[in-house]
Amino acid sequence: MAALARSVLVTGSNRGIGLELVRQLAASPRPPQHIFATCRDPKGPRGKALQELAAQHSSIKLVQLDTVNLPSIQGAMQAVGYHLKDQGLNLLINNAGISSHATLQSLDSQEMLDVFATNVVGPLQEFLPLLEQAAKGAGKEGLSCSRAAVINISSKLGSIGLCLRVPEAPMYPYRASKAAQNMVTRCLAAELQVKGILCMAIHPGWVKTDMGTEEAPLTVEHSVRGILTVLASLSQDTSGTFLDWEGNSLPW
């Protein structure tokens, strides 16, 4: 089985789904040559699990990245570009995100803006030049994660078609931000297809993480195994889609 991609960058990789993505990618039979594990403070106490993982796998490079801070984004792009030389970045997994349980009554405009900045604006700004470089130099036709791809970790709570469980979990800022992120994904897919870059959104399930809580039915290991299986199957036909961790199509 071929490697999913030569180079992969995962945002928000110090815990939860991001950390498990890095762990399973590094432990795969054909791991990527470069796994860029990014978070706001990879060398701090919250990055301890990531540091331990990187000590076990030479393919993992820790990169400081705050997805709402332009100097941080520019610094991360330079660091990643230095490692990749002129080969570009094959796969960007936008996993960094924040939640909010604000109700209609407790909703605060600044909280809404903060959630949008991380969940929507951040993924718009990152690493497009490196992805374009990879798409041009891959020597491949069609779209795939092994050529160049942007994967946005979304949520079916952002599905306007489903509009799930609003009375139990209003989460206005989070839902609205994920609906907006989904629109960004569709726009990116339409615009970047001609450049050879695949874009899609994936719902990881309700997962036992700090964000998902222990009430969630799905382990992070199970979710990430499913996500990676789905990513390996993506092609021109699935660019611009919204799928779950099992490959099922979801309504926008």
Side-chain angles (χ1 to χ4, degrees), residues 60-131:
I60 299 174
K61 284 91 173 172
L62 304 187
V63 178
Q64 193 280 331
L65 173 62
D66 181 343
T67 59
V68 296
N69 182 287
L70 186 57
S72 175
I73 293 170
Q74 292 170 337
M77 284 184 63
Q78 290 177 354
V80 171
Y82 172 80
H83 283 288
L84 294 175
K85 310 303 181 190
D86 59 351
Q87 294 183 307
L89 177 66
N90 299 116
L91 177 57
L92 170 62
I93 303 178
N94 280 315
N95 168 73
I98 56 176
S99 186
S100 166
H101 289 268
T103 66
L104 185 58
Q105 290 71 33
S106 68
L107 184 61
D108 173 83
S109 60
Q110 188 57 53
E111 183 178 2
M112 178 76 88
L113 291 171
D114 289 344
V115 174
F116 262 67
T118 298
N119 294 359
V120 186
V121 180
L124 267 177
Q125 296 178 324
E126 297 167 23
F127 303 105
L128 186 56
L130 294 176
L131 289 158

Side-chain angles (χ1 to χ4, degrees), residues 1-238:
M1 181 178 174
L4 177 63
R6 178 181 176 273
S7 57
V8 182
L9 187 148
V10 183
T11 68
S13 62
N14 62 311
R15 61 179 183 164
I17 290 169
L19 180 62
E20 186 61 22
L21 280 164
V22 172
R23 188 192 315 278
Q24 290 194 26
L25 284 165
S28 62
R30 295 285 302 278
Q33 183 177 346
H34 301 284
I35 302 171
F36 298 101
T38 80
C39 61
R40 283 178 288 187
D41 187 13
K43 295 183 179 179
R46 297 182 70 182
K48 187 171 185 295
L50 194 55
Q51 295 161 26
E52 293 172 352
L53 194 58
Q56 300 168 28
H57 299 278
S58 61
S59 58
I60 299 174
K61 284 91 173 172
L62 304 187
V63 178
Q64 193 280 331
L65 173 62
D66 181 343
T67 59
V68 296
N69 182 287
L70 186 57
S72 175
I73 293 170
Q74 292 170 337
M77 284 184 63
Q78 290 177 354
V80 171
Y82 172 80
H83 283 288
L84 294 175
K85 310 303 181 190
D86 59 351
Q87 294 183 307
L89 177 66
N90 299 116
L91 177 57
L92 170 62
I93 303 178
N94 280 315
N95 168 73
I98 56 176
S99 186
S100 166
H101 289 268
T103 66
L104 185 58
Q105 290 71 33
S106 68
L107 184 61
D108 173 83
S109 60
Q110 188 57 53
E111 183 178 2
M112 178 76 88
L113 291 171
D114 289 344
V115 174
F116 262 67
T118 298
N119 294 359
V120 186
V121 180
L124 267 177
Q125 296 178 324
E126 297 167 23
F127 303 105
L128 186 56
L130 294 176
L131 289 158
E132 291 176 344
Q133 190 176 36
K136 287 178 183 176
K140 297 179 180 179
E141 296 297 322
L143 303 181
S144 68
C145 289
S146 63
R147 185 181 181 188
V150 177
I151 308 300
N152 287 328
I153 303 295
S154 186
S155 171
K156 67 180 182 181
L157 289 179
S159 167
I160 294 172
L162 291 175
C163 202
L164 291 170
R165 301 175 63 241
V166 174
E168 299 91 346
M171 302 176 71
Y172 274 72
Y174 182 74
R175 289 175 180 271
S177 73
K178 287 301 182 180
Q181 184 197 42
N182 285 348
M183 186 61 187
V184 167
T185 302
R186 287 284 282 152
C187 292
L188 287 174
E191 183 169 350
L192 299 181
Q193 180 171 338
V194 295
K195 296 184 177 182
I197 302 173
L198 181 151
C199 303
M200 60 86 66
I202 191 161
H203 165 61
W206 184 13
V207 184
K208 291 182 189 294
T209 61
D210 290 348
M211 187 182 293
T213 76
E214 283 299 311
E215 294 180 24
L218 194 61
T219 66
V220 69
E221 294 83 5
H222 186 180
S223 170
V224 168
R225 276 198 302 272
I227 290 170
L228 293 177
T229 299
V230 172
L231 299 193
S233 73
L234 296 177
S235 67
Q236 189 125 355
D237 295 334
T238 43

